[in-house]
Every structure is written in C-alpha cells, then in structure tokens.
Amino acid sequence: MAVVSWKEILLLTGLVVGCYWNSLSCGFVFDDVSAILDNKDLRPSTPLRNLFLNDFWGTPMAEERSHKSYRPLTVLTFRLNYLFSELSAASYHLLNVVLHAIVCVLFLRVCRLFLDKTSSLVAALLFAVHPIHTEAVTGVVGRAELLSSIFLLAAFLAYTKSTGADHSIVWAPIALTVVLVAAATLCKEQGITVVGICCVHEVFVAQGFTLPMLLDTLRQVLQGKDGFPYAVLQTLLKLIVLVISTLLLVIIRVQVIQSQLPVFTRFDNPAAVSPTPARQLTFNYLLPVNAWLLLNPSELCCDWTMGTIPLVESLLDLRNVATLVFYTFLGLLAYHSLRYRHSSAKTVIMALSLIVLPFIPASNLFFPVGFVVAERVLYVPSMGFCVLVAHGFKIVSHKGHLKKISWLVIGVLLTTHAVKTFNRNWDWESEYTLFTSALKVNKNNAKLWNNVGHALENQNNYAKALQYFLQATRVQPDDIGAHMNVGRTYKNLNKSKEAEDAYLVAKSLMPQVIPGKKYATRVAPNHLNVYINLANLIRANESRLEEADQLYRQAISMRPDFKQAYISRGELLLKMNKLTEARDAYLRALELDRTNADLWYNLAIVNIEMKDPSEALKNFNHALELNPRHKLALFNSALLMQESGEPKFWPEANRRFLAYVEEEPEDANGYFNLGMLAMDANENAAAERWMRKAIGLQAGFRSALFNLALLYSQSKREMDALPVLDELLRYHPEHIKGLILKGDILMNHKKDTRGAKACFERILHMDPTNVQGKHNLCVVYFEERDLPRAERCLEETLALAPNEEYVRRHLNIVRGKMAAMSAAGQPLTSAEGATVSAKEEKPKRVNEGAGEAAEGEEEGRSADAVGKGAGDEKNARKSSAESLGGVGVDQSESLDSSQSDKRTKGKSTKEIKDIEEKRAAALKRLEEIERILSGD
C-alpha cells in the first residue's frame, strides 16, 4: 500500500485553502445561529457534563422539543473555539477548513487501498474541491460531518489492519475500530455506518468473495456437504464482534434519546406525512435528486424543505423515470461488483458502500428526518462518487487515444468545481446573501422567503421584510410561521390591528386538540408561540389583560412544559399586580429549567415588588452564578445593595456596577450609579469622574447633572456647580430642585439677589403652591429690605403650609421687626431697593430640599432595566425592574426635615447619624437667622 507523500499532503492542503480561504470572512448563518450563538453549552459557565445531556442545539435530550441529534464531541470543539475566541466567526471557519484538509488526506490514504497512485490522487483532488461540500465546510454546523468523517475514515483504516501476515486476526486494530466508531457516532449519527463499510471490505475485498461464491458456500453448508472454511469462520468472528459492538452503540443511542423520535412538521418533510403511494414515490425520487447534485452541483440551495420538491403523487408522474434510471444504473454497478473478483469490481463495491451506507440515515427508510434534501449529508457519500469518477478516469486514460482527453476533462472538472466552490462560499457570508442565493434556485419554498425576511428584519428594514413574509404566505398559505412573521413585522411597524389579524390567522391554522392524543406531537413547539405573540400584543391594552392571560393559560394547557408561556404569564401577572401568582408562574418555570438565569432574574424582580429585598438579592445571585455576565442582574443587584444603605454591601455593588459598564460601556446609567455609590462613600473625586463620564455619554442626563452640581456644592465648590446647573436647566428648564440649588448659590455665594429671585419666581410660575420656592422668595424680599412684601409673602406661604412652624416663626419675626422699625420712625422699605444695612448681617436663604441628590420621579439610579424583547418573537422576554430613584447626601442648608423627601428606607446607622448632625446644624442656623431678623 502506497503511503501519502508530503508533496501530496501539501497539494491537497493548498487546494483546500485556495478554495475556502474566503470562508473566513463569513459569519454565523442559518443553523449556526442556534448551534453557536444561542447555545449555552458553549459557555464556560455551563458544566461540561451538560454537553452529554443536551442535544446538538443545547436542548436537554429529555425535552420533547429536542431535535434528538446527539453530537457532544462536535459541541465540545465549538466550546474550545469559544474558549479561544468566543464568538469570532473566523476561528470557527478556520478550524472547519483545517478539518476538511485532514479529511482529504485521510480519504487519499483510503483510496490508495483500491486505486492506483494517480487515480487515488484524482479522487482526493475532486473531493477537495467539490462544490457540494460548501455547506459542510463553510457552514459552521457542518463540522459534525467533518469530524464524523475523520473518525469514520480512521476507523476504516484501522480495521484494514486487523488481518495479520499469516491471515490471523489482530484484535488491537478491531478494538481501535470500535473506539473510533463510537467517536464518529458522537460527532454525528451517520458515523456508525462505517461498520457496514468495514463488513463490505472484509467480505468482498479482504477475503475476495463474490456473491455467487457466498451463495454456493451457504448452499453446501445447508446441504451438509461441507463445513464452513476456516477463512469464512475468521471472517464471521470479526464481523460478529463488529455487529455486537454496533448493536451496543445503537442501544446506548436509543437510551440517550429516551426511545423518542424528534417532532417534525409536514413543512420540514412533506413526504413523511403523505399517504401511500405519494410517500414512497417521493422518497424514492429524492435518491436521483441527490445523485444529480453530486453529478451536477450547479444549482445549490441551503434549504430544500417545504415546497422545494413537489410530491410525486402518481405513478404517471414523469419524474418516476428518473427514479427508474437511477435504480437501473445502481443495479448494474452492484451486479458488476458483486459478481466478479477482479480489482475493478472491488473498487466499485467499495465506492458503492461509501455512497449508499452513510446515506441510509438520511434516506427516510427507517425513520423520518427533518429535511427533504440536505447537501451536507452528501459529504461522505461524495467520497464514493469521487472514487467512481477516478476509477472511470483510470479506465479511460489507459486507452491511448483517450488519455489526453481524459486528462483535459479532469482538469476542466477540477477547475470549474474549484471556481464554483470559491464563489459559493460568498453566498454564506451573511443570512441575506445565503437566502437570496437560494431564492434564485427555488421560489416555491416559503421558508426561504421567511428567512430573507428575517435577515432584513435584523437590519431593521421592516417594510421590505414584510414584503417577503407576505410572499411566504402566498407561496404556502397554511404556513403558521409565515403568518406569525407577518404579525410580528406589522407590530414593529406599529400597525397593531394588522398584527392582531395576522396572529389570529396563524392561530386558526393550529391543529385542533384531539381528545386522548398528545398535542405536542402534531405541531412544532415554536408554533405555540402564536399564543404568546398574540397575548403580548393585546396586553398593551389595559382593558385586555385578562384576555391576554387566557391566551397564556391556553398555551400552557396545550403544553404543560411550555416554559416561555410561564415566563410571559409571570410578567403579565406582575403588571396586573398579582404578585403571588407571578411568583408561582416563575417557580413553575424554574421547575422546568433551573439553569435559566433569566428566570431567576425575573423572580428577583417579583421579590422586589413584594418588598422582599433579601430574597430578591438571593435570586439575583442565582442568576449571576449561572451567567456571571447577566447585565440586568448585575445592574439591579448592585442597585439593590446600594439602596439597602448597608456600607458592607458597597464594595460588591461597586464591583457589579464595574462589571456592568464593562458589558455596556455606552450606558450612562452604569457610570451614574457608580458616581452615586462613590458619593455615598464620600469619595468625591471618584464620584465626579463617574458623573462626568455619564454626562459625556448622555447629554442632558438630568440626575447626573443635578447630583454633580450637588457634589460641588457640598464640596464648597459652588462656583463649579453653577455651569453644571446652567446645563441642567438648559435641558430641563422645569427642574425645580435645580432652580432651588442655583438660587441658593446665587444668593449666598455670588450675592446675586436678582438672579436668585428669578430662580424662585420661575419655580412659582411653574408651581404656585411650591412652599419651598415661596419661602425662599420671601427671604429674598427680606434681603431687599421690603418688609411689607416679605410679610405678605410669608402669610401666603403659611396659607399654603399652615402646619409648618418655621414659616409661622419667620412671619412673627418679620412682623416684630416691622413694629420695632415703625416705633423708631424708620421706613419699612429700603430706598435703595436691594441694598442692605452694612451694620446688619444678611440672612441666608433657607434651602430645604436641594439636599436631595436624585428625585424619585426622575431616572435617578433606575437605569432602563428592561429585558429583551418579549416572547412575541424571537427572544425570551425578561421582566423589567423600575428601580427606585436613588438619593444622595443631604445638604447642610436643609432647614427642616418636614420639607425634604429624602430616602428613609434602609438607612444605615452612619447615615442616620449624619442626618441628625445636619438637622442639628440646620436648627442652629435657623436660630441664627431668627436672631438677625429680630435685630439682635
């Protein structure tokens, strides 16, 4: 047996790289999205054992919606990719190209077993460039084929060494073969078919039997004329070991899928649910269709489901001729290979075994599959096809007058295939390019129209997407998914009435519940989302909340393990303020999936609404254990720690806010809350830096601007606070507390009575009943020495707040001052207006509310903690948490606690002490003002 030289390895590798280097610029498309982007099994936070409990798409094998495709070794390689490059598509594509090159080298080695050096190289070169492989190589999920093929070829090569030089059995290669077969099967199910290929090789190649010889031997044994020859007994022993090993693998595989076949719909494989004879005629017609794709790969399509290939419903259908021709040709080849012992027959029988046996799992002969035609499943069968072509080339090239022509044909074939492969790779660049290229081949597949619509939808081009979704409903009027897509797009276009109509059409197409028959077996699980989508749409109307709840309950009644229905219903119940029921809905969902971080997050939100912060924090922590980068859990748990007022939580809150801004570097709310946390800890420099960062990201950030101004004021940097307040009032001219703080600074630090007066008058223009603004305006009148006006002003203030004792005291002081001045014959108003006697100390304005750092009604610390889009369409909805606005430190000018609406819940001992000290300082100041007003 000739070995493979380094030159041949370099030639094959160079050819593979030349054909597939442009695949490195392709992204994740089609099935890659589910297998890579949405598959939690790739994440390091997921235990490795989950790879052996879940299917290829990350769904637990025990769940009914599982695809039952068990390929843990393939998923393990995806996980390794993620470990090195996370979701960088180029690394995934690069590994696929490397694996394809390895398969080509192994295939060349296998070809050397039954082809000469030149012909085997031709077969390997043709395999390397065949366009049918683009789906397996350029599509990342095609790695299952690549890995399975590597182990399949390795297992076959190992088995060929199971016969010693003296024709004895060598058991080590057989044991290695069994291990490699198991590995191939754990990469993709078709790997187990290598056992059949080994059996064919053992009987018809290694032992040199023909079918007539086998029949003659069997007849003699049955007639008692002779026993089994020793060679036959050896062959039987080896085959028995292989078959038993295969049966054990099959039993284990059946146990893994828990004896359940996956649920497919008639849209996935129309023939599978068709009556006789349409089912048999169509399945048989699909065989020549696949053969034609190998022979003429000019029109390739990523999706052959639904109406791509119309059913063959009659014996009179002309397509049956293609089926007859195919079986005739296949029969002639089988007859030739099984009847004769020469090398050509052995080559053909091995080629046929490579074509037929690996294709059996996808043939619908034993169980229905979820597709009509899939190009990637032809990856291994194409090996046999390439062997046949190379063998034909060998026969023709040995005829002198045809030698040059045969080389020319092979050269043209390799060139055209390589160019086709290279160009086909560009179709896989994005979902839009992939599905539009498919529509050029087939316009009768509603799924393709839907997928182009999805690609446009992802680009936010809803109007154009709607055209494709509507076309899908025209191509396949009973396609539930297409009508759901139309409804979702109408919703995105803010056309609620049209969206509801589309959802109702989809709902009407759902199969009716048949008593005693399991509903889930007759409908795709994702079609049940029509109830979720419709409920999510109508619950925007407050008067239809009960109707929405009824839809959720209907979905749950149809499928008690429908996790998304519990999630969406829990959110609705939260909106309806049915907190206990909402909690129960989330707990039920957690029974179905305790590894879902979003569910723990939603439950924590319910705990917050139920005034149970300790339980909320515990559930936030559960979410973060499952997903340490869960952005909303990071933010809201940190916020909860901050709101608790317990300094012991501040370091962890700070760490989580930092992790949040690392995930969301453009979200100003994260930096704002870091600033508030720094203010709580009296770290003014850090607080200023974070506030500036938040304002830089979000111009006019209301709470950040106010709290930064307050920070400057508390740090005795009142002049730095003024430009910040000016910016705040430019964006939010109605910001009353900003006006109060600005008035205070103008009055007490810039001595700008007129500017302060303008601020307070502006407050009263917006809110004539604002006691704080009114009182401070009274102080301005006193500063201007207009005592009668100050008196009237304080009388009006007292009328607004008759229970405010300090206003009454100030009014009495002003009246006493007026009486004293009248008795002394002094005028009650200053002739100079705003001037004040140099002998008297000016009373400072009473600032009772500016000490509040962030208003409860503002965005404050409550970033837009809203989850992903509702189950209305693609993603699981996460409940939102409207966190309470945070409060900062209190300014020392606060005169009386009755005028402030500071945060009181969850205050620490230190905070309470600070507040008491500030209140004492405020009362001391009140006494000072009263002494000034009394003329002491």
Side-chain angles (χ1 to χ4, degrees):
M1 178 180 68
V3 296
V4 178
S5 69
W6 280 105
K7 290 182 179 179
E8 291 170 327
I9 292 175
L10 291 175
L11 175 62
L12 284 171
T13 303
L15 192 58
V16 168
V17 172
C19 288
Y20 286 101
W21 69 264
N22 59 334
S23 70
L24 301 185
S25 63
C26 298
F28 295 117
V29 298
F30 205 14
D31 290 339
D32 297 347
V33 176
S34 299
I36 308 296
L37 299 182
D38 298 339
N39 192 346
K40 294 180 181 178
D41 288 347
L42 272 63
R43 278 50 173 180
S45 58
T46 303
L48 273 174
R49 63 184 180 86
N50 282 25
L51 273 64
F52 297 90
L53 300 175
N54 298 341
D55 67 14
F56 186 54
W57 315 97
T59 305
M61 294 292 291
E63 290 192 12
E64 205 164 12
R65 62 190 178 91
S66 170
H67 196 272
K68 308 302 180 186
S69 46
Y70 189 66
R71 304 164 191 172
L73 293 187
T74 303
V75 179
L76 181 61
T77 65
F78 292 152
R79 184 163 174 143
L80 291 174
N81 267 121
Y82 188 91
L83 182 65
F84 286 106
S85 64
E86 294 194 349
L87 295 177
S88 172
S91 72
Y92 294 78
H93 289 294
L94 176 61
L95 184 53
N96 272 24
V97 174
V98 170
L99 293 174
H100 181 53
I102 294 172
V103 173
C104 292
V105 173
L106 287 173
F107 177 56
L108 175 59
R109 184 68 181 268
V110 168
C111 290
R112 290 280 157 85
L113 296 174
F114 33 82
L115 285 173
D116 61 31
K117 186 173 182 180
T118 301
S119 301
S120 60
L121 182 60
V122 168
L125 291 173
L126 181 58
F127 179 81
V129 302
H130 203 296
I132 201 70
H133 299 155
T134 52
E135 183 171 342
V137 180
T138 309
V140 177
V141 294
R143 187 177 299 175
E145 268 73 25
L146 304 175
L147 287 170
S148 180
S149 298
I150 289 173
F151 289 115
L152 181 149
L153 294 173
F156 178 71
L157 288 171
Y159 183 79
T160 59
K161 297 179 180 180
S162 63
T163 303
D166 57 351
H167 300 290
S168 61
I169 299 176
V170 183
W171 290 106
I174 294 178
L176 179 59
T177 298
V178 172
V179 172
L180 291 171
V181 170
T185 306
L186 291 175
C187 292
K188 192 173 182 183
E189 297 77 5
Q190 68 182 28
I192 202 170
T193 60
V194 68
V195 173
I197 297 172
C198 291
C199 292
V200 171
H201 179 270
E202 178 67 31
V203 173
F204 297 105
V205 178
Q207 301 301 329
F209 286 107
T210 63
L211 187 59
M213 291 173 60
L214 286 175
L215 293 175
D216 185 60
T217 301
L218 182 62
R219 184 172 58 253
Q220 290 182 15
V221 171
L222 292 175
Q223 292 175 353
K225 295 180 180 180
D226 198 2
F228 282 109
Y230 180 71
V232 174
L233 290 174
Q234 277 194 315
T235 300
L236 283 174
L237 181 59
K238 291 168 71 174
L239 296 184
I240 287 171
V241 170
L242 281 181
V243 170
I244 291 176
S245 301
T246 303
L247 289 175
L248 286 174
L249 287 174
V250 170
I251 291 171
I252 293 171
R253 183 68 174 83
V254 171
Q255 290 297 316
V256 166
I257 66 173
Q258 301 185 0
S259 304
Q260 293 179 339
L261 290 176
V263 178
F264 298 116
T265 70
R266 58 191 176 86
F267 301 115
D268 298 318
N269 190 349
V273 295
S274 298
T276 302
R279 180 169 66 254
Q280 291 77 12
L281 292 175
T282 303
F283 283 157
N284 281 280
Y285 172 66
L286 293 179
L287 300 178
V289 170
N290 282 279
W292 181 249
L293 287 174
L294 290 172
L295 190 63
N296 179 31
S298 59
E299 293 188 340
L300 299 178
C301 182
C302 63
D303 193 304
W304 295 80
T305 56
M306 303 188 86
T308 304
I309 299 176
L311 295 173
V312 181
E313 299 180 298
S314 168
L315 290 170
L316 300 179
D317 193 311
L318 289 177
R319 289 175 293 175
N320 290 317
V321 175
T323 305
L324 289 174
V325 171
F326 171 79
Y327 275 115
T328 300
F329 182 71
L330 190 66
L332 290 173
L333 287 176
Y335 177 80
H336 167 80
S337 59
L338 293 173
R339 186 172 180 82
Y340 303 104
R341 297 187 64 181
H342 50 69
S343 61
S344 176
K346 293 179 180 180
T347 300
V348 172
I349 192 63
M350 288 309 303
L352 289 178
S353 66
L354 281 169
I355 292 173
V356 174
L357 295 177
F359 186 74
I360 286 177
S363 66
N364 289 283
L365 294 178
F366 298 106
F367 48 82
V369 294
F371 53 83
V372 178
V373 172
E375 293 166 10
R376 61 175 176 261
V377 304
L378 294 175
Y379 189 77
V380 177
S382 69
M383 294 179 186
F385 171 78
C386 292
V387 169
L388 283 179
V389 172
H391 183 55
F393 162 78
K394 173 186 173 182
I395 295 172
V396 174
S397 63
H398 284 175
K399 296 180 180 180
H401 62 288
L402 295 177
K403 184 175 182 179
K404 291 184 179 179
I405 296 176
S406 62
W407 276 107
L408 178 63
V409 170
I410 286 295
V412 171
L413 186 64
L414 291 175
T415 303
T416 55
H417 276 30
V419 172
K420 172 66 176 177
T421 297
F422 184 82
N423 290 332
R424 174 64 174 159
N425 289 333
W426 290 121
D427 292 340
W428 291 79
E429 184 175 17
S430 68
E431 293 205 323
Y432 182 77
T433 56
L434 179 64
F435 296 127
T436 51
S437 70
L439 280 177
K440 295 175 184 176
V441 176
N442 171 37
K443 290 182 170 56
N444 295 321
N445 186 341
K447 191 174 179 180
L448 294 176
W449 292 100
N450 280 319
N451 285 332
V452 175
H454 286 311
L456 291 167
E457 188 179 33
N458 291 335
Q459 300 170 12
N460 295 326
N461 190 348
Y462 299 121
K464 192 172 181 181
L466 180 61
Q467 297 175 13
Y468 282 89
F469 291 142
L470 288 171
Q471 179 62 25
T473 63
R474 288 189 282 268
V475 171
Q476 189 88 35
D478 58 351
D479 181 8
I480 297 172
H483 290 286
M484 290 169 63
N485 292 335
V486 170
R488 184 182 63 254
T489 310
Y490 273 130
K491 182 184 176 184
N492 289 331
L493 291 170
N494 296 318
K495 297 183 177 180
S496 300
K497 178 63 172 64
E498 292 85 347
E500 183 173 350
D501 291 342
Y503 285 141
L504 288 173
V505 171
K507 183 171 174 285
S508 69
L509 293 170
M510 295 287 286
Q512 299 301 308
V513 177
I514 299 175
K517 187 169 183 180
K518 208 167 189 178
Y519 189 88
T521 61
R522 298 181 297 110
V523 63
N526 63 313
H527 284 172
L528 283 173
N529 279 327
V530 67
Y531 294 96
I532 308 300
N533 297 358
L534 183 56
N536 289 342
L537 176 69
I538 66 175
R539 77 181 194 187
N541 185 339
E542 295 289 337
S543 66
R544 303 181 69 183
L545 296 182
E546 290 293 344
E547 185 180 347
D549 189 34
Q550 176 61 33
L551 287 167
Y552 291 136
R553 284 185 280 129
Q554 187 174 355
I556 291 169
S557 68
M558 292 177 176
R559 192 180 185 92
D561 64 345
F562 192 11
K563 179 177 62 183
Q564 185 55 50
Y566 291 106
I567 294 173
S568 297
R569 183 166 185 252
E571 184 178 316
L572 176 67
L573 292 169
L574 186 61
K575 182 178 181 179
M576 297 169 72
N577 203 34
K578 297 181 178 181
L579 301 180
T580 303
E581 291 181 56
R583 182 192 60 194
D584 292 343
Y586 287 132
L587 289 173
R588 175 68 180 110
L590 282 168
E591 290 176 10
L592 300 171
D593 183 9
R594 298 191 66 82
T595 63
N596 189 318
D598 294 339
L599 283 174
W600 290 106
Y601 170 82
N602 288 354
L603 183 58
I605 298 303
V606 176
N607 295 142
I608 289 175
E609 294 297 323
M610 297 180 75
K611 313 300 182 187
D612 191 355
S614 60
E615 192 67 22
L617 187 58
K618 188 187 303 182
N619 290 323
F620 278 139
N621 291 337
H622 274 304
L624 291 171
E625 286 171 8
L626 294 167
N627 180 7
R629 294 187 176 183
H630 195 293
K631 291 180 286 191
L632 294 176
L634 282 170
F635 185 92
N636 285 289
S637 62
L639 194 61
L640 197 60
M641 292 177 176
Q642 185 179 7
E643 293 286 336
S644 72
E646 293 289 340
K648 65 180 181 181
F649 288 135
W650 291 351
E652 178 61 17
N654 191 72
R655 187 195 69 78
R656 293 189 184 186
F657 278 135
L658 287 172
Y660 175 78
V661 298
E662 185 178 338
E663 293 295 313
E664 289 287 341
E666 301 301 315
D667 185 1
N669 288 288
Y671 300 102
F672 168 72
N673 281 280
L674 280 167
M676 295 301 297
L677 198 60
M679 286 181 70
D680 287 343
N682 294 320
E683 298 172 359
N684 292 346
E688 179 182 0
R689 184 174 70 253
W690 293 126
M691 291 297 183
R692 287 287 183 190
K693 179 72 173 176
I695 295 165
L697 287 171
Q698 182 179 323
F701 192 157
R702 178 180 172 118
S703 294
L705 286 166
F706 178 77
N707 282 284
L708 179 59
L710 183 62
L711 175 66
Y712 286 146
S713 177
Q714 292 171 337
S715 306
K716 309 302 181 185
R717 297 168 59 186
E718 288 82 358
M719 294 304 103
D720 290 334
L722 279 177
V724 178
L725 288 168
D726 288 338
E727 183 179 354
L728 169 66
L729 295 170
R730 183 169 69 252
Y731 284 99
H732 307 285
E734 78 293 347
H735 197 291
I736 290 176
K737 291 173 183 175
L739 287 167
I740 289 174
L741 182 56
K742 182 179 179 182
D744 172 56
I745 295 172
L746 290 175
M747 186 77 170
N748 294 321
H749 300 281
K750 286 200 73 177
K751 317 303 181 186
D752 183 359
T753 310
R754 182 175 299 174
K757 183 178 181 180
C759 289
F760 302 139
E761 287 178 340
R762 192 164 156 192
I763 292 171
L764 293 175
H765 177 73
M766 291 184 291
D767 181 10
T769 63
N770 188 286
V771 175
Q772 194 173 339
K774 185 78 171 176
H775 178 270
N776 289 342
L777 183 60
C778 300
V779 175
V780 172
Y781 294 150
F782 182 84
E783 288 280 344
E784 293 178 339
R785 311 301 295 163
D786 191 345
L787 298 183
R789 194 170 185 185
E791 179 187 26
R792 290 195 301 273
C793 178
L794 286 168
E795 288 173 346
E796 293 171 1
T797 306
L798 188 61
L800 291 173
N803 296 322
E804 296 295 349
E805 189 60 33
Y806 75 94
V807 178
R808 190 182 304 278
R809 287 201 307 271
H810 289 179
L811 177 58
N812 291 335
I813 290 171
V814 170
R815 286 174 174 170
K817 184 68 174 177
M818 290 173 65
M821 291 178 69
S822 296
Q826 296 178 359
L828 297 182
T829 58
S830 173
E832 297 177 2
T835 63
V836 182
S837 171
K839 295 182 180 180
E840 290 189 294
E841 182 181 353
K842 296 180 183 178
K844 293 189 178 180
R845 180 188 62 84
V846 180
N847 181 17
E848 297 160 10
E852 293 166 356
E855 304 80 58
E857 72 273 9
E858 294 182 309
E859 61 269 42
R861 301 177 191 226
S862 63
D864 296 329
V866 183
K868 293 180 182 177
D872 183 31
E873 331 318 295
K874 302 175 180 177
N875 302 316
R877 181 178 177 89
K878 304 175 188 176
S879 295
S880 61
E882 294 300 337
S883 309
L884 294 177
V887 183
V889 294
D890 305 304
Q891 195 165 328
S892 61
E893 283 83 355
S894 297
L895 184 68
D896 192 274
S897 60
S898 63
Q899 285 296 303
S900 68
D901 49 354
K902 303 176 184 70
R903 178 180 61 190
T904 56
K905 70 169 187 176
K907 291 287 186 184
S908 67
T909 304
K910 181 179 181 299
E911 286 177 304
I912 293 172
K913 185 178 179 182
D914 288 344
I915 292 170
E916 291 300 329
E917 289 175 354
K918 289 166 184 175
R919 285 178 177 169
L923 290 172
K924 184 177 180 181
R925 185 167 180 189
L926 174 60
E927 293 172 359
E928 179 185 351
I929 293 171
E930 290 176 347
R931 284 198 306 271
I932 294 170
L933 288 173
S934 301
D936 295 337

